[in-house]
Amino acid sequence: MVKRTGGNRRKTRSILRKHFSLRGKISLRKYFQEFKKGDRVGFKAEPAIHKGMYFRRYHGRTGVIEGKRGNCYEIKIKDRDKEKILIVHPVHLNKL
């Protein structure tokens, strides 16, 4: 058997990179932002925090908040013809 190469962040050099002027400490306001059920959110990864990060395929997508699970949110998205629920930390979300 051949072992699979790489993990979740494989081939993400350009996707998960911050602009040089945006580097530095993450604001607590972004880290602790609150959403309500039914809010529309966009996925924009914060590369410095790996906890609660989604898979790279969903970068730039939008979804709808379905509920909360611990510190993270359940977000429903449409992936081609299927509806999926992703569990994402609020630091990786932007309100639309």
Side-chain angles (χ1 to χ4, degrees):
M1 290 295 283
V2 178
K3 271 195 145 181
R4 181 165 166 80
T5 304
N8 276 353
R9 291 173 62 106
R10 181 171 184 236
K11 294 189 170 182
T12 61
R13 176 181 280 184
S14 60
I15 294 173
L16 300 180
R17 180 169 47 194
K18 286 173 135 179
H19 191 266
F20 68 87
S21 63
L22 300 176
R23 292 179 68 176
K25 289 195 175 183
I26 299 131
S27 69
L28 293 176
R29 184 173 164 215
K30 179 107 172 118
Y31 199 88
F32 292 112
Q33 61 185 333
E34 294 283 331
F35 299 103
K36 290 179 277 191
K37 186 175 179 180
D39 283 352
R40 290 184 55 82
V41 291
F43 292 99
K44 183 165 188 312
E46 173 57 57
I49 297 174
H50 304 164
K51 178 181 179 178
M53 189 183 284
Y54 51 85
F55 189 69
R56 66 178 182 264
R57 174 189 299 145
Y58 307 112
H59 192 71
R61 292 279 194 89
T62 59
V64 179
I65 301 283
E66 284 294 304
K68 194 161 181 182
R69 188 179 294 193
N71 293 331
C72 298
Y73 287 95
E74 297 174 346
I75 297 145
K76 187 194 292 184
I77 64 158
K78 183 118 170 146
D79 190 18
R80 296 195 183 216
D81 55 341
K82 293 180 188 165
E83 286 196 342
K84 296 184 176 180
I85 294 203
L86 301 177
I87 300 164
V88 182
H89 194 275
V91 77
H92 305 296
L93 300 173
N94 290 332
K95 194 167 185 176
L96 298 176

